[in-house]
Amino acid sequence: AQSVTQLGSHVSVSEGALVLLRCNYSSSVPPYLFWYVQYPNQGLQLLLKYTSAATLVKGINGFEAEFKKSETSFHLTKPSAHMSDAAEYFCAVTKAAGNKLTFGGGTRVLVKP
Amino acid sequence: NAGVTQTPKFRVLKTGQSMTLLCAQDMNHEYMYWYRQDPGMGLRLIHYSVGEGTTAKGEVPDGYNVSRLKKQNFLLGLESAAPSQTSVYFCASQGQGGGRSYGYTFGSGTRLTVV
């Protein structure tokens, strides 16, 4: 069975600082990986996805993630945090096209002025 | 705008009452899902459907029923609401193409309180 672990349920960063959100997965086959963002009182929006093409994936709002097979990781980064990045972020994995996603527990990001 | 629409957005129920949550998508997606989101527990899958007329149980199906009579609609029913079902419910749909997973498109959620 596949699973996702997000390290840190809460992360606090200063405005302008690096944002790093960690995601490790377990999967018996090469996975498809996703990052979603949830702003307060809203649904989840797709930030970016890895589908076995380039290992460095660029998403919306300046975020990117790197797939590292040897580390079974898909960490999300943004070089410079903005106040509007305050939200909850979810990593998700699936093992095949059309399969349901397995979500991590989420990481809530607080951005300090 | 194309997407996933959930109704209602908010609802308060008394224990024992029943209700149906509606999810509608206009993207011709085959797969649809119902999740609940609770503080500290992430997203948990209740039921899902891989096509019109089909449904399957997720990880927390007890107390819920679903139906997918039309491809674009996925209904979630609570026959006898309990306070433990107080949660935010999200519907999602999933499209495929060319053998690649396109992830989910989520609705904006239904906030349900059972008193």
Side-chain angles (χ1 to χ4, degrees):
Chain A
Q2 57 205 20
S3 66
V4 178
T5 302
Q6 291 184 238
L7 296 177
S9 59
H10 291 79
V11 168
S12 181
V13 298
S14 297
E15 192 174 18
L18 172 71
V19 180
L20 171 60
L21 305 182
R22 300 179 186 276
C23 172
N24 288 90
Y25 68 91
S26 67
S27 177
S28 58
V29 298
Y32 296 93
L33 293 155
F34 305 83
W35 275 100
Y36 285 85
V37 60
Q38 184 182 30
Y39 299 105
N41 299 314
Q42 295 187 25
L44 281 74
Q45 303 173 31
L46 181 66
L47 264 182
L48 49 80
K49 61 186 177 185
Y50 167 76
T51 57
S52 75
T55 56
L56 182 63
V57 181
K58 295 187 183 298
I60 62 172
N61 301 338
F63 284 93
E64 64 181 34
E66 186 173 9
F67 172 68
K68 292 187 176 181
K69 183 178 179 180
S70 61
E71 299 177 8
T72 61
S73 69
F74 191 56
H75 301 331
L76 181 71
T77 60
K78 181 174 181 177
S80 177
H82 191 272
M83 296 299 291
S84 61
D85 295 326
E88 189 160 18
Y89 294 79
F90 292 91
C91 183
V93 64
T94 187
K95 64 180 180 181
N99 274 28
K100 56 185 180 294
L101 273 61
T102 298
F103 288 86
T107 298
R108 188 172 297 277
V109 173
L110 172 66
V111 182
K112 299 177 293 184
Chain B
N1 290 338
V4 178
T5 303
Q6 291 184 235
T7 53
K9 295 189 183 304
F10 303 94
R11 185 74 185 267
V12 178
L13 283 180
K14 294 182 179 179
T15 298
Q17 286 185 320
S18 64
M19 78 163 294
T20 300
L21 283 67
L22 171 63
C23 177
Q25 54 96 1
D26 58 5
M27 297 170 285
N28 202 36
H29 285 173
E30 287 293 334
Y31 294 8
M32 296 184 74
Y33 304 86
W34 276 107
Y35 286 86
R36 59 178 291 172
Q37 183 179 32
D38 303 289
M41 305 191 74
L43 290 162
R44 293 183 291 170
L45 181 63
I46 305 171
H47 286 281
Y48 64 101
S49 168
V50 299
E52 181 178 316
T54 72
T55 62
K57 294 180 180 180
E59 58 183 301
V60 288
D62 293 342
Y64 305 95
N65 57 75
V66 288
S67 64
R68 183 100 181 267
L69 298 180
K70 294 182 178 181
K71 185 177 183 179
Q72 64 267 33
N73 296 335
F74 194 29
L75 279 63
L76 178 70
L78 286 73
E79 291 185 347
S80 180
S84 61
Q85 294 177 303
T86 294
S87 186
V88 181
Y89 292 86
F90 287 100
C91 176
S93 70
Q94 184 179 31
Q96 293 82 38
R100 303 174 69 181
S101 175
Y102 287 86
Y104 290 178
T105 301
F106 280 88
S108 58
T110 296
R111 188 173 297 273
L112 175 66
T113 301
V114 182
V115 297

